[in-house]
Amino acid sequence: MSTIPTVLFVCVHNAGRSQMAAGYLRHLAGDRVEVLSAGSMPGDSINPVAVAAMAEEGIDIAGHQPRKLTDDAVSESDVVITMGCGDACPYFPGKRYEDWVLDDPAGQPIDAVRPVRDEIRRRVEDLIASLDGRLRHRDHP
């Protein structure tokens, strides 16, 4: 593993859950973590309701684009978080994998997306805590 841990968030369209998770991790961990996100079947753009929900938190994800999941993205990641992509995510030994079961915000009103967003934040905070030893090492060599 590199000095800076790399975390990859994967969902089907890379337009909602994985983008919100990546936004939170960038916001909360800053440059102490390399953040990637991708989709097994990426959409054309990020879900505007996910963008609005994150904007309520002061986090702008509007400028990001859905990306196609690649073997390279998985192989360069230390932690791979999947969110409903099933068997589409390649497996590489030695990686830490987690599957976050979360409702898909696609087509949902903002009132239904906010609880998903809040659960993603909680899980990202737990992820940061689990990486804390490596993050402190980065801050204090």
Side-chain angles (χ1 to χ4, degrees):
M1 286 191 205
S2 64
T3 305
I4 301 172
T6 301
V7 176
L8 170 63
F9 294 102
V10 182
C11 67
V12 175
H13 299 296
N14 191 221
R17 295 166 289 186
S18 57
Q19 291 286 350
M20 289 190 288
Y24 270 128
L25 188 55
R26 284 186 194 98
H27 180 76
L28 297 171
D31 64 358
R32 299 175 300 157
V33 177
E34 169 107 17
V35 181
L36 306 173
S37 70
S40 54
M41 297 185 311
D44 294 327
S45 61
I46 296 183
N47 179 340
V49 179
V51 171
M54 292 301 286
E56 292 178 350
E57 296 283 291
I59 300 171
D60 182 7
I61 62 170
H64 295 273
Q65 285 296 315
R67 294 179 185 244
K68 176 79 173 146
L69 176 64
T70 64
D71 286 353
D72 288 345
V74 178
S75 69
E76 71 185 52
S77 298
D78 300 302
V79 180
V80 179
I81 310 286
T82 59
M83 304 173 195
C85 69
D87 295 333
C89 190
Y91 177 81
F92 288 87
K95 306 291 177 191
R96 173 177 157 191
Y97 287 88
E98 293 183 21
D99 185 43
W100 292 359
V101 178
L102 299 161
D103 291 337
D104 188 347
Q108 299 297 315
I110 196 154
D111 288 342
V113 174
R114 285 184 185 118
V116 175
R117 175 202 63 200
D118 295 345
E119 177 62 14
I120 289 170
R121 181 182 181 120
R122 185 193 67 73
R123 290 178 190 219
V124 167
E125 288 170 343
D126 289 348
L127 175 65
I128 291 169
S130 76
L131 295 171
D132 195 41
R134 292 189 65 196
L135 301 181
R136 271 199 307 268
H137 175 74
R138 164 89 168 125
D139 289 341
H140 301 91

